[in-house]
Structures are given as C-alpha cells and as structure tokens.
Amino acid sequence: MGVGKYRPNGRKYATPIATCIDYPADGNKLIPSLKEALIKSGLKDGMTISTHHHFRNGDLIAIQIFDIASELGIKDLVWFPFCFF
C-alpha cells in the first residue's frame, strides 16, 4: 500500500496501534501548547499523570498541568512523580 497508506487495526493493551498516518509528514510531533497536548492525550476524570519532577521546573509543570485540567473541568486526577536513581 505504501508509506502512510496502511493503518493497522489491532490493539496493543488498551490503545490503538500508532501509525505514521497519525503524524505530520515531516515527523514533527511537537504541539504548540501544554493545553493542546493534554486535550490530544485524551485526559479524563480519574486518570493518573506521571511526570519526572527532577527535570528543570518539573514541579511547576505539574502545577500547570493541574491548572489546565481544572480549566477543562477534569477532576480526580492523581499525580505520580517519579525519578531515576
């Protein structure tokens, strides 16, 4: 079928299998804002958000995530900070 034409129809665990059709042709997956990234991620009530809080301003980013989630009306989120040793 060629590059960008075939879409697999199976599942790995619970999410659909990703394919290059889902991304821009230049391969750039960057999203312009954190709010848009959270919307595209499918964030819903009761989910767990995991971040690496030791990154530069990691705790501040977590606060931004929860502020945006509140603005979107998403509730009961759990923050699971992690770090590697």
Side-chain angles (χ1 to χ4, degrees):
M1 296 177 96
V3 175
K5 304 277 193 279
Y6 176 72
R7 178 178 295 281
N9 58 3
R11 288 185 177 266
K12 290 192 281 186
Y13 305 102
T15 59
I17 296 172
T19 176
C20 62
I21 298 171
D22 301 324
Y23 302 106
D26 65 0
N28 185 356
K29 299 182 210 174
L30 294 177
I31 306 280
S33 71
L34 182 57
K35 182 176 183 176
E36 188 175 341
L38 290 173
I39 291 169
K40 286 188 174 221
S41 74
L43 189 63
K44 296 178 185 148
D45 292 346
M47 288 183 146
T48 299
I49 296 182
S50 182
T51 62
H52 193 302
H53 72 99
H54 282 240
F55 284 150
R56 182 180 5 184
N57 297 326
D59 291 338
L60 296 176
I61 291 172
I63 292 169
Q64 289 175 347
I65 288 170
F66 286 104
D67 287 344
I68 293 169
S70 175
E71 179 183 316
L72 295 172
I74 299 170
K75 301 176 278 189
D76 301 323
L77 295 175
V78 175
W79 183 41
F80 186 75
F82 67 92
C83 60
F84 295 106
F85 294 104

Coordinates of all heavy atoms in Angstrom, one line a residue:
M1 N 0.8 -1.2 0.0 CA 0.0 0.0 0.0 C 0.9 1.3 0.0 O 0.4 2.3 -0.4 CB -0.9 0.0 1.2 CG -2.0 -1.1 1.2 SD -3.0 -1.1 2.7 CE -4.3 -0.2 2.1
G2 N 2.1 1.2 0.5 CA 3.0 2.3 0.5 C 3.0 3.1 1.9 O 2.2 2.8 2.7
V3 N 4.0 3.9 2.0 CA 4.2 4.7 3.2 C 3.0 5.6 3.5 O 2.6 6.3 2.6 CB 5.5 5.5 3.2 CG1 5.6 6.4 4.4 CG2 6.7 4.6 3.1
G4 N 2.4 5.6 4.7 CA 1.3 6.5 5.0 C 0.0 6.0 4.5 O -1.0 6.8 4.6
K5 N -0.1 4.8 3.9 CA -1.4 4.3 3.4 C -2.0 3.2 4.2 O -3.2 3.0 4.2 CB -1.1 3.8 2.0 CG -0.5 4.8 1.0 CD -1.5 5.7 0.4 CE -1.0 6.5 -0.7 NZ -0.3 7.7 -0.4
Y6 N -1.2 2.5 4.9 CA -1.7 1.3 5.7 C -2.0 1.7 7.1 O -1.2 2.3 7.8 CB -0.6 0.2 5.7 CG -1.0 -1.0 6.5 CD1 -2.0 -1.9 6.1 CD2 -0.4 -1.3 7.7 CE1 -2.4 -3.0 6.9 CE2 -0.7 -2.3 8.5 CZ -1.7 -3.2 8.1 OH -2.1 -4.3 8.8
R7 N -3.1 1.3 7.6 CA -3.5 1.6 9.0 C -3.8 0.2 9.7 O -4.8 -0.4 9.3 CB -4.7 2.5 9.1 CG -5.1 2.7 10.6 CD -6.3 3.6 10.8 NE -6.0 5.0 10.4 CZ -5.3 5.9 11.1 NH1 -4.9 5.6 12.2 NH2 -5.2 7.1 10.6
P8 N -2.9 -0.2 10.6 CA -3.2 -1.5 11.3 C -4.5 -1.3 12.1 O -4.8 -0.2 12.6 CB -2.0 -1.7 12.2 CG -1.3 -0.3 12.3 CD -1.7 0.4 11.1
N9 N -5.2 -2.4 12.3 CA -6.5 -2.3 13.1 C -6.5 -3.1 14.3 O -7.5 -3.5 14.9 CB -7.6 -2.8 12.2 CG -7.4 -4.2 11.6 OD1 -6.5 -4.8 12.0 ND2 -8.4 -4.6 10.8
G10 N -5.3 -3.4 14.9 CA -5.2 -4.2 16.1 C -5.0 -3.2 17.3 O -5.1 -2.0 17.2
R11 N -4.9 -3.8 18.5 CA -4.6 -3.0 19.7 C -3.5 -3.6 20.5 O -3.3 -4.8 20.5 CB -5.8 -3.0 20.6 CG -6.9 -2.1 20.0 CD -8.1 -2.1 21.1 NE -9.1 -1.2 20.6 CZ -9.2 0.1 20.9 NH1 -8.4 0.6 21.7 NH2 -10.2 0.8 20.5
K12 N -2.6 -2.8 21.0 CA -1.6 -3.2 22.0 C -2.2 -2.7 23.3 O -2.3 -1.6 23.6 CB -0.3 -2.5 21.7 CG 0.4 -3.0 20.5 CD 1.8 -2.5 20.5 CE 1.9 -1.0 20.0 NZ 3.2 -0.5 19.8
Y13 N -2.5 -3.7 24.2 CA -3.1 -3.4 25.5 C -4.4 -2.6 25.3 O -5.4 -3.2 24.9 CB -2.1 -2.6 26.4 CG -0.8 -3.3 26.6 CD1 0.3 -2.9 25.9 CD2 -0.7 -4.5 27.4 CE1 1.5 -3.6 26.0 CE2 0.5 -5.2 27.5 CZ 1.6 -4.7 26.8 OH 2.7 -5.4 26.9
A14 N -4.5 -1.3 25.6 CA -5.8 -0.7 25.5 C -5.8 0.5 24.5 O -6.9 1.0 24.2 CB -6.1 -0.1 26.9
T15 N -4.7 0.9 23.9 CA -4.7 2.0 23.0 C -4.6 1.5 21.5 O -4.0 0.4 21.3 CB -3.6 3.0 23.3 OG1 -2.4 2.3 23.2 CG2 -3.8 3.6 24.6
P16 N -5.1 2.2 20.6 CA -4.9 1.8 19.2 C -3.5 1.8 18.8 O -2.7 2.6 19.3 CB -5.7 2.9 18.4 CG -6.6 3.5 19.4 CD -6.0 3.4 20.7
I17 N -3.1 1.0 17.8 CA -1.7 0.9 17.4 C -1.4 2.2 16.6 O -2.2 2.6 15.7 CB -1.5 -0.3 16.4 CG1 -1.7 -1.6 17.3 CG2 -0.1 -0.2 15.8 CD1 -1.7 -2.8 16.4
A18 N -0.4 2.9 17.0 CA 0.0 4.2 16.3 C 0.6 3.8 14.9 O 1.2 2.8 14.7 CB 1.0 4.9 17.1
T19 N 0.4 4.8 14.0 CA 1.0 4.6 12.7 C 1.5 5.9 12.1 O 1.0 7.0 12.7 CB -0.1 4.0 11.7 OG1 0.5 3.9 10.4 CG2 -1.3 4.8 11.7
C20 N 2.3 6.0 11.1 CA 2.8 7.2 10.6 C 1.7 8.1 10.0 O 1.9 9.3 9.9 CB 3.9 7.0 9.6 SG 3.4 6.1 8.2
I21 N 0.6 7.5 9.7 CA -0.6 8.3 9.2 C -1.0 9.3 10.2 O -1.5 10.4 9.9 CB -1.8 7.4 8.8 CG1 -1.4 6.4 7.7 CG2 -3.0 8.2 8.4 CD1 -2.4 5.3 7.5
D22 N -0.8 9.0 11.5 CA -1.3 9.8 12.6 C -0.4 11.1 12.9 O -0.8 11.9 13.7 CB -1.4 9.0 13.9 CG -2.3 7.8 13.8 OD1 -3.4 8.0 13.1 OD2 -2.0 6.8 14.3
Y23 N 0.7 11.2 12.2 CA 1.7 12.2 12.4 C 2.0 13.0 11.2 O 1.8 12.5 10.1 CB 3.0 11.7 13.0 CG 2.8 10.9 14.3 CD1 2.8 9.5 14.2 CD2 2.5 11.5 15.4 CE1 2.6 8.8 15.4 CE2 2.2 10.8 16.6 CZ 2.3 9.4 16.6 OH 2.1 8.7 17.7
P24 N 2.4 14.3 11.3 CA 2.8 15.1 10.1 C 3.8 14.4 9.3 O 4.7 13.6 9.8 CB 3.3 16.4 10.7 CG 2.8 16.4 12.1 CD 2.7 15.0 12.5
A25 N 3.8 14.7 8.0 CA 4.8 14.1 7.1 C 6.2 14.4 7.4 O 7.1 13.6 7.1 CB 4.5 14.5 5.6
D26 N 6.5 15.6 8.0 CA 7.9 15.9 8.3 C 8.3 15.2 9.6 O 9.5 15.4 10.0 CB 8.0 17.4 8.4 CG 7.2 18.1 9.6 OD1 6.5 17.3 10.3 OD2 7.3 19.3 9.7
G27 N 7.4 14.5 10.3 CA 7.8 13.8 11.5 C 7.8 14.6 12.8 O 8.1 14.1 13.9
N28 N 7.5 15.9 12.7 CA 7.5 16.7 13.9 C 6.2 16.5 14.7 O 5.1 16.8 14.2 CB 7.6 18.2 13.4 CG 7.7 19.1 14.6 OD1 7.7 18.7 15.8 ND2 8.0 20.4 14.3
K29 N 6.4 16.0 15.9 CA 5.2 15.7 16.8 C 5.0 16.8 17.8 O 4.2 16.6 18.7 CB 5.4 14.3 17.4 CG 5.5 13.2 16.5 CD 5.6 11.9 17.2 CE 6.4 10.9 16.5 NZ 6.6 9.7 17.3
L30 N 5.7 17.9 17.8 CA 5.6 18.9 18.8 C 4.2 19.5 18.7 O 3.7 19.8 17.6 CB 6.7 20.0 18.6 CG 8.1 19.5 18.9 CD1 9.1 20.6 18.6 CD2 8.3 19.0 20.3
I31 N 3.7 19.8 19.9 CA 2.4 20.5 20.0 C 2.6 21.9 20.5 O 3.5 22.1 21.4 CB 1.5 19.7 21.0 CG1 1.4 18.3 20.7 CG2 0.1 20.4 21.1 CD1 0.4 17.9 19.6
P32 N 1.9 22.9 20.0 CA 2.3 24.3 20.4 C 2.0 24.7 21.8 O 2.6 25.6 22.4 CB 1.4 25.2 19.5 CG 0.5 24.3 18.8 CD 0.9 22.9 19.0
S33 N 1.1 23.9 22.5 CA 0.8 24.3 23.9 C 0.6 23.1 24.8 O 0.2 22.0 24.3 CB -0.4 25.2 24.0 OG -1.6 24.5 23.7
L34 N 0.8 23.2 26.1 CA 0.6 22.1 27.0 C -0.9 21.8 27.0 O -1.3 20.6 27.1 CB 1.1 22.5 28.4 CG 0.9 21.5 29.5 CD1 1.7 20.2 29.2 CD2 1.5 22.1 30.8
K35 N -1.8 22.8 27.0 CA -3.2 22.6 27.0 C -3.6 21.7 25.8 O -4.4 20.7 25.9 CB -4.0 23.9 26.9 CG -5.5 23.8 27.0 CD -6.2 25.1 27.0 CE -7.7 25.0 27.1 NZ -8.3 26.3 27.3
E36 N -3.2 22.0 24.6 CA -3.5 21.2 23.4 C -2.9 19.8 23.5 O -3.6 18.8 23.2 CB -2.9 21.9 22.2 CG -3.4 21.2 20.9 CD -2.9 22.0 19.6 OE1 -2.6 23.1 19.7 OE2 -2.9 21.3 18.6
A37 N -1.8 19.6 24.1 CA -1.2 18.3 24.4 C -2.1 17.5 25.3 O -2.3 16.3 25.1 CB 0.2 18.4 24.9
L38 N -2.6 18.1 26.4 CA -3.4 17.4 27.3 C -4.8 17.0 26.7 O -5.3 15.9 26.9 CB -3.7 18.2 28.5 CG -2.5 18.4 29.5 CD1 -2.8 19.4 30.6 CD2 -2.0 17.1 30.0
I39 N -5.3 17.9 25.8 CA -6.5 17.5 25.1 C -6.3 16.4 24.2 O -7.1 15.4 24.1 CB -7.1 18.8 24.4 CG1 -7.6 19.8 25.4 CG2 -8.2 18.4 23.4 CD1 -7.9 21.2 24.8
K40 N -5.2 16.4 23.4 CA -4.9 15.4 22.4 C -4.6 14.0 23.1 O -4.7 13.0 22.5 CB -3.8 15.8 21.5 CG -4.2 16.8 20.5 CD -3.1 17.0 19.5 CE -3.6 17.9 18.4 NZ -3.2 17.5 17.1
S41 N -4.1 14.1 24.3 CA -3.7 12.9 25.0 C -5.0 12.1 25.5 O -4.9 10.9 25.9 CB -2.8 13.2 26.3 OG -3.6 13.8 27.3
G42 N -6.1 12.8 25.5 CA -7.3 12.1 25.9 C -7.5 12.1 27.4 O -8.2 11.2 28.0
L43 N -7.0 13.1 28.1 CA -7.1 13.2 29.6 C -8.5 13.2 30.0 O -9.3 14.0 29.5 CB -6.3 14.4 30.0 CG -6.2 14.6 31.5 CD1 -5.3 13.5 32.1 CD2 -5.6 16.0 31.9
K44 N -8.8 12.3 31.0 CA -10.2 12.2 31.5 C -10.2 12.2 33.0 O -9.1 11.9 33.7 CB -10.8 10.9 31.0 CG -11.0 10.9 29.5 CD -11.6 9.6 29.0 CE -11.7 9.6 27.5 NZ -11.5 8.4 26.9
D45 N -11.4 12.3 33.6 CA -11.5 12.2 35.1 C -10.9 11.0 35.6 O -11.1 9.9 35.1 CB -13.0 12.3 35.5 CG -13.6 13.6 35.2 OD1 -12.9 14.6 35.0 OD2 -14.9 13.7 35.2
G46 N -10.2 11.1 36.8 CA -9.7 9.9 37.5 C -8.4 9.3 37.0 O -7.9 8.3 37.5
M47 N -7.8 9.9 35.9 CA -6.6 9.4 35.4 C -5.4 9.7 36.3 O -5.4 10.6 37.1 CB -6.3 9.9 34.0 CG -7.2 9.3 32.9 SD -6.7 9.9 31.3 CE -7.1 8.5 30.3
T48 N -4.3 9.0 36.1 CA -3.0 9.3 36.8 C -2.1 9.9 35.8 O -1.9 9.5 34.7 CB -2.4 8.0 37.3 OG1 -3.3 7.4 38.2 CG2 -1.1 8.3 38.0
I49 N -1.5 11.0 36.2 CA -0.5 11.8 35.4 C 0.9 11.5 36.1 O 1.1 11.7 37.3 CB -0.8 13.3 35.4 CG1 -2.1 13.5 34.7 CG2 0.4 14.0 34.7 CD1 -2.5 14.9 34.5
S50 N 1.8 11.1 35.3 CA 3.2 10.8 35.8 C 4.2 11.7 35.1 O 4.2 11.9 33.9 CB 3.5 9.3 35.4 OG 4.8 9.0 36.0
T51 N 4.9 12.4 35.9 CA 6.0 13.3 35.4 C 7.3 13.1 36.1 O 7.3 12.6 37.2 CB 5.6 14.8 35.6 OG1 5.4 15.1 37.0 CG2 4.3 15.1 34.9
H52 N 8.3 13.5 35.5 CA 9.6 13.4 36.2 C 9.9 14.8 36.9 O 10.2 15.8 36.2 CB 10.7 13.1 35.1 CG 12.0 12.8 35.8 ND1 12.7 13.6 36.6 CD2 12.8 11.6 35.6 CE1 13.8 12.9 37.0 NE2 13.9 11.8 36.4
H53 N 9.7 14.9 38.1 CA 9.7 16.2 38.8 C 11.1 16.7 39.0 O 11.3 17.8 39.4 CB 9.0 16.1 40.2 CG 9.7 15.3 41.2 ND1 10.5 15.9 42.2 CD2 9.8 14.0 41.4 CE1 11.0 15.0 43.0 NE2 10.6 13.8 42.5
H54 N 12.2 15.9 38.7 CA 13.5 16.5 38.9 C 14.0 17.2 37.6 O 15.0 17.8 37.7 CB 14.5 15.3 39.1 CG 14.5 14.9 40.6 ND1 15.6 14.9 41.4 CD2 13.5 14.4 41.3 CE1 15.2 14.4 42.6 NE2 14.0 14.1 42.5
F55 N 13.2 17.2 36.5 CA 13.6 18.0 35.4 C 13.5 19.4 35.8 O 12.8 19.8 36.7 CB 12.6 17.7 34.2 CG 12.9 16.4 33.5 CD1 11.9 15.8 32.9 CD2 14.2 15.9 33.5 CE1 12.1 14.6 32.2 CE2 14.4 14.7 32.8 CZ 13.4 14.0 32.2
R56 N 14.1 20.3 35.0 CA 14.1 21.7 35.3 C 12.6 22.2 35.4 O 11.9 22.0 34.4 CB 14.8 22.5 34.2 CG 14.9 24.0 34.4 CD 15.7 24.6 33.4 NE 16.0 23.7 32.3 CZ 16.8 24.0 31.3 NH1 17.2 25.2 31.1 NH2 17.1 23.0 30.4
N57 N 12.2 22.8 36.5 CA 10.9 23.3 36.7 C 9.8 22.1 36.6 O 8.7 22.4 36.3 CB 10.5 24.4 35.7 CG 11.4 25.6 35.8 OD1 11.8 25.9 36.9 ND2 11.7 26.2 34.7
G58 N 10.2 20.9 36.9 CA 9.3 19.8 36.8 C 8.0 20.0 37.7 O 6.9 19.6 37.3
D59 N 8.2 20.5 38.9 CA 7.1 20.7 39.8 C 6.2 21.8 39.3 O 5.0 21.7 39.4 CB 7.6 21.0 41.2 CG 8.2 19.8 41.9 OD1 7.9 18.7 41.5 OD2 9.0 20.0 42.9
L60 N 6.8 22.8 38.7 CA 6.0 23.9 38.2 C 5.1 23.4 37.0 O 4.0 23.8 36.8 CB 6.9 25.1 37.7 CG 7.6 25.7 38.9 CD1 8.6 26.8 38.3 CD2 6.7 26.3 39.9
I61 N 5.7 22.5 36.2 CA 4.9 22.0 35.0 C 3.8 21.1 35.6 O 2.7 21.2 35.0 CB 5.9 21.1 34.1 CG1 6.8 22.1 33.4 CG2 5.0 20.3 33.1 CD1 7.9 21.4 32.6
A62 N 4.0 20.4 36.6 CA 2.9 19.6 37.2 C 1.8 20.5 37.7 O 0.6 20.3 37.4 CB 3.4 18.8 38.4
I63 N 2.1 21.7 38.3 CA 1.1 22.6 38.7 C 0.3 23.2 37.5 O -0.9 23.3 37.5 CB 1.7 23.8 39.5 CG1 2.2 23.2 40.9 CG2 0.7 24.9 39.7 CD1 3.1 24.2 41.6
Q64 N 1.1 23.5 36.4 CA 0.4 23.9 35.2 C -0.6 22.9 34.6 O -1.6 23.2 34.2 CB 1.5 24.3 34.1 CG 2.3 25.5 34.4 CD 3.4 25.7 33.4 OE1 3.7 24.8 32.6 NE2 3.9 26.9 33.4
I65 N -0.1 21.6 34.7 CA -1.0 20.5 34.2 C -2.3 20.5 34.9 O -3.4 20.4 34.4 CB -0.3 19.2 34.3 CG1 0.9 19.1 33.3 CG2 -1.3 18.0 34.1 CD1 1.8 17.9 33.4
F66 N -2.2 20.6 36.3 CA -3.4 20.5 37.1 C -4.3 21.8 36.9 O -5.5 21.7 37.0 CB -3.1 20.2 38.5 CG -2.7 18.8 38.7 CD1 -1.4 18.5 38.9 CD2 -3.7 17.8 38.7 CE1 -1.0 17.1 39.1 CE2 -3.3 16.5 38.8 CZ -2.0 16.1 39.0
D67 N -3.7 22.9 36.7 CA -4.4 24.2 36.4 C -5.2 24.1 35.1 O -6.4 24.4 35.1 CB -3.5 25.4 36.4 CG -3.0 25.8 37.8 OD1 -3.6 25.4 38.8 OD2 -2.0 26.6 37.8
I68 N -4.6 23.5 34.1 CA -5.2 23.3 32.8 C -6.3 22.3 32.9 O -7.4 22.5 32.4 CB -4.2 22.9 31.7 CG1 -3.2 24.1 31.4 CG2 -4.9 22.5 30.4 CD1 -2.0 23.7 30.6
A69 N -6.1 21.2 33.6 CA -7.1 20.2 33.8 C -8.3 20.8 34.6 O -9.4 20.5 34.2 CB -6.5 19.0 34.6
S70 N -8.1 21.6 35.5 CA -9.2 22.3 36.3 C -10.0 23.2 35.3 O -11.2 23.2 35.3 CB -8.6 23.1 37.4 OG -9.6 23.8 38.1
E71 N -9.3 23.9 34.5 CA -9.9 24.8 33.5 C -10.8 24.0 32.5 O -11.8 24.4 32.1 CB -8.8 25.5 32.7 CG -9.2 26.5 31.7 CD -8.0 27.0 30.9 OE1 -7.1 27.5 31.6 OE2 -8.1 27.1 29.7
L72 N -10.3 22.8 32.2 CA -11.1 21.9 31.3 C -12.2 21.1 32.0 O -12.9 20.4 31.3 CB -10.1 20.9 30.6 CG -9.0 21.5 29.7 CD1 -8.1 20.4 29.2 CD2 -9.7 22.2 28.5
G73 N -12.3 21.2 33.3 CA -13.3 20.6 34.1 C -13.0 19.1 34.4 O -13.9 18.3 34.7
I74 N -11.7 18.7 34.3 CA -11.3 17.4 34.6 C -11.0 17.3 36.1 O -10.3 18.1 36.6 CB -10.1 17.0 33.7 CG1 -10.4 17.1 32.2 CG2 -9.6 15.6 34.1 CD1 -9.3 16.9 31.3
K75 N -11.5 16.2 36.7 CA -11.4 16.1 38.2 C -10.8 14.8 38.6 O -10.6 13.8 37.8 CB -12.8 16.1 38.8 CG -13.6 17.4 38.5 CD -15.0 17.4 39.0 CE -15.8 16.6 38.1 NZ -17.2 16.7 38.3
D76 N -10.5 14.7 39.9 CA -10.0 13.4 40.5 C -8.7 12.9 39.8 O -8.5 11.7 39.7 CB -11.1 12.4 40.5 CG -12.3 12.8 41.3 OD1 -12.1 13.5 42.3 OD2 -13.4 12.5 40.8
L77 N -7.8 13.7 39.4 CA -6.5 13.3 38.9 C -5.6 12.9 40.0 O -5.6 13.5 41.1 CB -5.9 14.4 38.0 CG -6.7 14.7 36.7 CD1 -6.0 15.9 36.0 CD2 -6.8 13.6 35.8
V78 N -4.6 12.0 39.7 CA -3.6 11.6 40.6 C -2.3 11.9 40.0 O -2.0 11.6 38.8 CB -3.7 10.1 40.9 CG1 -2.5 9.7 41.8 CG2 -5.0 9.8 41.6
W79 N -1.4 12.6 40.8 CA 0.0 12.9 40.3 C 0.9 11.8 40.8 O 1.0 11.6 42.0 CB 0.4 14.3 40.7 CG 1.7 14.7 40.2 CD1 2.2 14.5 39.0 CD2 2.7 15.4 40.9 NE1 3.5 15.0 38.8 CE2 3.8 15.6 40.0 CE3 2.8 15.9 42.2 CZ2 5.0 16.2 40.4 CZ3 4.0 16.6 42.6 CH2 5.1 16.7 41.7
F80 N 1.7 11.2 39.9 CA 2.6 10.2 40.3 C 4.0 10.6 39.8 O 4.5 10.3 38.8 CB 2.2 8.8 39.6 CG 3.1 7.7 40.1 CD1 2.9 7.1 41.3 CD2 4.1 7.2 39.3 CE1 3.7 6.0 41.8 CE2 4.9 6.1 39.7 CZ 4.7 5.6 40.9
P81 N 4.7 11.5 40.7 CA 6.0 11.9 40.3 C 7.0 10.8 40.4 O 6.9 9.9 41.3 CB 6.3 13.0 41.3 CG 5.5 12.7 42.5 CD 4.3 12.0 42.0
F82 N 8.0 10.7 39.6 CA 9.0 9.7 39.6 C 10.4 10.3 39.4 O 10.5 11.3 38.9 CB 8.7 8.5 38.6 CG 8.8 8.9 37.2 CD1 10.0 8.8 36.5 CD2 7.8 9.5 36.5 CE1 10.2 9.1 35.2 CE2 7.9 9.9 35.2 CZ 9.1 9.7 34.5
C83 N 11.4 9.5 39.8 CA 12.7 9.9 39.5 C 13.6 8.6 39.3 O 13.2 7.6 39.8 CB 13.3 10.8 40.6 SG 13.4 10.0 42.2
F84 N 14.6 8.7 38.5 CA 15.5 7.6 38.3 C 16.7 7.8 39.2 O 17.2 8.9 39.4 CB 16.0 7.6 36.9 CG 14.8 7.3 35.9 CD1 14.3 8.3 35.1 CD2 14.3 6.0 35.9 CE1 13.3 8.0 34.3 CE2 13.2 5.8 35.0 CZ 12.7 6.8 34.2
F85 N 17.3 6.7 39.7 CA 18.5 6.8 40.6 C 19.6 6.2 39.8 O 19.5 5.3 39.1 CB 18.2 6.1 41.9 CG 17.2 6.9 42.7 CD1 15.9 6.4 42.9 CD2 17.6 8.1 43.4 CE1 15.0 7.1 43.7 CE2 16.7 8.7 44.1 CZ 15.4 8.3 44.3

